[in-house]
Amino acid sequence: MDLEILRQMFIGIVCNLLIVDSGLNEGWSTPIIPKFEQDDPLNVPSDKVVWVVNLLYVGIGIGSVVPFLLMDRIGRKGTLLFATIPKIASWILIGVANTVPQLYVGRILAGIGCGITYAVIPMYLGEVSSKRSRGPLGTLMAVLMNTGMMLAYVIGLWVSRLTLSMIAVTIPLIFLVTFIWLPESSVFLTKKNKLTSAERTLKWALGKDDVVEELEEIKRIVATEDFEPGMTFERSLREMFARRENRRAFRIAMIVLSALTLTGAAPLLTYQSFIFEEAGYEISTNVSIVMTGCAIVLAGSVCVVLVRCTGKRLLLLIAAPICVLSLAAMAIFFGLKSSGYDVSQTRWVPSVFLLIYVLGYGLALNPIPLGYIGEIFHIDVKVPAAIFCSLYYAVTTTTLVKFYQVLQESYGTYMPITMFTVITFLIWLLIYRYVPETEGKTLEEIQIELRGKR
């Protein structure tokens, strides 16, 4: 294994500690919410539970604005170091909270840290990685987020809320003491005309002394942007839609992010214990939850291995129909159950097909969108684009969790799952029609393709 790959792996692992932490935050509600009705000293009424879940995504929306204020002032590195402040504070507050408002504040702070992470990590990794490692590093983000979710399930099902929080807080602390030694993005340094520092960063990150070609590519990209340091958010947004390549990048981002959020993973994973209980399957609910956590990590790991051979687009086109068929099977089961049919012989269907859904989702719909986001936008719109994508993730996920709760209570579990089936099928068609392949291409080659030139 050459020095470049070793350095890139090290950068990816250290950066993704924040992603693991975000996975812990997103997976936290699955094992902890049932405890509020059992042995947790804090009693949270059922009407407030949905806010315990959703305030994380409200915080993500707030946190996604922070990079616009900081990223082009203190850099990508400084912004990520800043993200550790709300992350550390949130775990402490979530662990010791003895009132619902304190828990709310902790979840909002956690979301702010996650929002900064989601906006900046794809950009930082996209700018410090080579075209050889960009695909695996991009998909690794989602794999490690899923690892964080699995850790939340495995640990949280058998320990108290306080113990889980004290274990989890060690991850942003480890990130803080390791990431501080890593370099700033060479693209950011070039944009600030710190070419010596940019060259030094490239040499270290790529593990070689001759980086003339890579530095020249970055210079060309920065030179074509006509970047304005005083650009307002409104002007940045207008710029995002002024160029053909930016409009295409925005369309691709919306499609792949919809695959990440609108296909129902957040509510299905959050409420999976209630889904299993409603189905009445004999296997332990805790075992089913751990199995889904392991499945999403396993599928994401397969994605990291396959993505360099198959490309991102093909994996999306394979995974989406797996999710469609799995969702359809669950919708049919709960539809028959709510209509009074005897489904006692098929109570295994939700557990098995949720597991298959998670495998399909973890193979592509979950890991690949973040890889695209880090690659497809021009430097002059990367900050507003990253913020917009993070806001889109927060708003759609918050809406979808509430949407699931309302439809489930009004019509039964089959109704929201039926809606997810239809939405996932439509997203599959959009991927086939509009999403190109970016695997193995430099940032410059991707922009040329988005402009419609060969």
Side-chain angles (χ1 to χ4, degrees):
M1 189 178 293
D2 59 35
L3 186 58
E4 175 188 345
I5 296 299
L6 285 172
R7 292 270 174 87
Q8 299 274 294
M9 285 176 60
F10 178 72
I11 292 170
I13 290 169
V14 171
C15 289
N16 280 299
L17 287 172
L18 284 190
I19 295 291
V20 173
D21 177 79
S22 299
L24 277 161
N25 278 297
E26 298 225 20
W28 175 90
S29 55
T30 297
I32 298 300
I33 283 176
K35 293 181 186 293
F36 292 132
E37 299 176 356
Q38 299 165 6
D39 54 0
D40 194 281
L42 177 61
N43 183 273
V44 182
S46 58
D47 61 323
K48 294 183 179 179
V49 163
V50 71
W51 286 109
V52 173
V53 177
N54 270 346
L55 283 175
L56 175 75
Y57 300 103
V58 172
I60 289 173
I62 297 170
S64 64
V65 179
V66 173
F68 176 71
L69 304 174
L70 298 181
M71 203 156 30
D72 283 323
R73 290 180 172 85
I74 64 174
R76 283 67 160 141
K77 178 181 175 180
T79 306
L80 288 172
L81 290 172
F82 177 82
T84 60
I85 298 173
K87 280 182 170 289
I88 293 169
S90 69
W91 282 122
I92 295 171
L93 191 53
I94 288 170
V96 303
N98 52 27
T99 66
V100 174
Q102 288 175 351
L103 191 60
Y104 284 171
V105 173
R107 291 288 280 171
I108 290 173
L109 285 173
I112 291 171
C114 292
I116 299 171
T117 300
Y118 295 156
V120 183
I121 286 286
M123 185 185 301
Y124 179 83
L125 287 179
E127 292 178 353
V128 301
S129 57
S130 65
K131 68 178 182 179
R132 278 206 302 167
S133 60
R134 190 173 296 120
L137 283 180
T139 52
L140 183 65
M141 286 187 285
V143 174
L144 292 178
M145 177 181 287
N146 296 335
T147 301
M149 292 176 65
M150 183 185 70
L151 289 173
Y153 299 164
V154 171
I155 299 170
L157 287 170
W158 286 280
V159 303
S160 68
R161 170 168 52 95
L162 175 61
T163 302
L164 176 60
S165 297
M166 294 305 100
I167 293 171
V169 77
T170 61
I171 294 177
L173 287 171
I174 294 170
F175 170 84
L176 184 62
V177 299
T178 53
F179 183 72
I180 197 168
W181 304 105
L182 291 186
E184 178 57 88
S185 157
S186 54
V187 176
F188 172 77
L189 292 170
T190 302
K191 190 162 60 176
K192 294 298 183 182
N193 205 30
K194 298 178 179 179
L195 298 180
T196 303
S197 298
E199 184 178 4
R200 188 163 55 245
T201 292
L202 281 171
K203 287 180 178 180
W204 187 88
L206 300 182
K208 59 183 183 179
D209 293 327
D210 184 9
V211 294
V212 174
E213 183 181 344
E214 290 84 357
L215 187 59
E216 287 302 314
E217 181 194 341
I218 292 172
K219 287 179 182 178
R220 287 195 300 272
I221 294 173
V222 172
T224 60
E225 307 299 335
D226 193 24
F227 180 79
E228 297 180 49
M231 186 177 285
T232 64
F233 188 67
E234 292 78 13
R235 290 180 65 188
S236 297
L237 283 178
R238 284 199 299 270
E239 183 65 22
M240 191 158 70
F241 298 102
R243 298 177 182 174
R244 171 185 171 84
E245 58 269 33
N246 290 341
R247 292 194 300 271
R248 289 192 67 189
F250 178 79
R251 182 175 65 198
I252 294 164
M254 291 302 95
I255 293 171
V256 296
L257 283 173
S258 295
L260 176 67
T261 60
L262 298 184
T263 50
L268 289 176
L269 292 175
T270 298
Y271 292 108
Q272 60 183 298
S273 60
F274 300 101
I275 292 173
F276 297 146
E277 287 172 10
E278 183 180 346
Y281 190 40
E282 292 176 358
I283 191 171
S284 163
T285 296
N286 285 3
V287 172
S288 295
I289 290 172
V290 171
M291 285 174 62
T292 58
C294 293
I296 199 168
V297 172
L298 174 64
S301 302
V302 172
C303 177
V304 173
V305 173
L306 290 181
V307 70
R308 286 182 63 183
C309 304
T310 63
K312 299 184 184 71
R313 185 174 186 272
L314 179 59
L315 282 181
L316 286 171
L317 292 174
I318 292 171
I322 294 174
C323 294
V324 170
L325 294 174
S326 303
L327 289 167
M330 288 189 287
I332 291 169
F333 171 86
F334 284 112
L336 291 172
K337 186 174 186 294
S338 67
S339 299
Y341 288 90
D342 181 12
V343 293
S344 59
Q345 300 302 311
T346 56
R347 288 181 297 180
W348 51 269
V349 166
S351 292
V352 170
F353 280 96
L354 182 59
L355 191 66
I356 295 172
Y357 166 84
V358 165
L359 286 169
Y361 181 76
L363 178 66
L365 305 189
N366 177 251
I368 286 177
L370 290 177
Y372 271 102
I373 299 307
E375 295 177 327
I376 58 178
F377 288 106
H378 264 182
I379 295 170
D380 62 341
V381 298
K382 271 194 172 185
V383 173
I387 293 168
F388 190 91
C389 290
S390 191
L391 277 172
Y392 181 81
Y393 174 79
V395 171
T396 52
T397 305
T398 302
T399 304
L400 211 66
V401 171
K402 187 65 178 177
F403 172 82
Y404 178 90
Q405 182 205 25
V406 170
L407 284 186
Q408 194 275 334
E409 291 177 355
S410 302
Y411 301 100
T413 302
Y414 78 94
M415 182 57 75
I417 297 179
T418 300
M419 296 299 296
F420 298 152
T421 305
V422 174
I423 291 169
T424 306
F425 178 74
L426 293 175
I427 289 171
W428 181 28
L429 297 179
L430 291 172
I431 291 168
Y432 178 78
R433 176 67 179 85
Y434 294 110
V435 176
E437 183 57 71
T438 60
E439 186 62 29
K441 299 175 183 177
T442 66
L443 298 177
E444 187 177 29
E445 288 168 347
I446 293 169
Q447 291 305 314
I448 291 171
E449 182 174 343
L450 290 176
R451 284 197 292 268
K453 298 177 182 178
R454 295 291 176 185

